[in-house]
Amino acid sequence: MTKLHQYNQDGPFFITKEVAAQMIAGGYEFEPPLIPCTIRLGDILERMIDAELALQPGEIAEQERKRRQNKQSSRYGSNG
């Protein structure tokens, strides 16, 4: 039997079906999240100020940065 407690890990610990079965057998009860996520990442990024958005990695954040650049360019025209 493998250990259920994983301490001092460098990366994330994912609960596989096997680990979940061991935890349930050990008396652990799984509960659904209290508040389901109902907002899209794009909506969250859209609400960030530019400085916050600049710190965000990923393709969706990059799309939001480009959207803002295009919006700003259209406000001032091509003569900028």
Side-chain angles (χ1 to χ4, degrees), residues 4-76:
L4 293 179
H5 301 286
Q6 303 276 331
Y7 298 105
N8 299 323
Q9 288 187 331
D10 291 331
F13 173 70
F14 296 98
I15 299 177
T16 63
K17 289 180 181 180
E18 294 80 14
V19 171
Q22 290 177 2
M23 292 173 77
I24 290 169
Y28 186 87
E29 294 181 22
F30 288 92
E31 296 180 15
L34 298 176
I35 302 172
C37 181
T38 59
I39 191 166
R40 298 177 322 129
L41 178 57
D43 293 337
I44 294 169
L45 295 173
E46 188 177 275
R47 295 176 184 163
M48 289 183 175
I49 63 172
D50 290 341
E52 292 172 323
L53 182 61
L55 299 173
Q56 301 304 311
E59 183 179 339
I60 297 173
E62 184 60 31
Q63 290 171 359
E64 176 60 20
R65 286 188 284 271
K66 287 180 182 179
R67 187 191 70 77
R68 290 183 188 192
Q69 288 174 349
N70 291 338
K71 186 176 179 180
Q72 192 173 35
S73 296
S74 67
R75 281 187 191 161
Y76 298 110

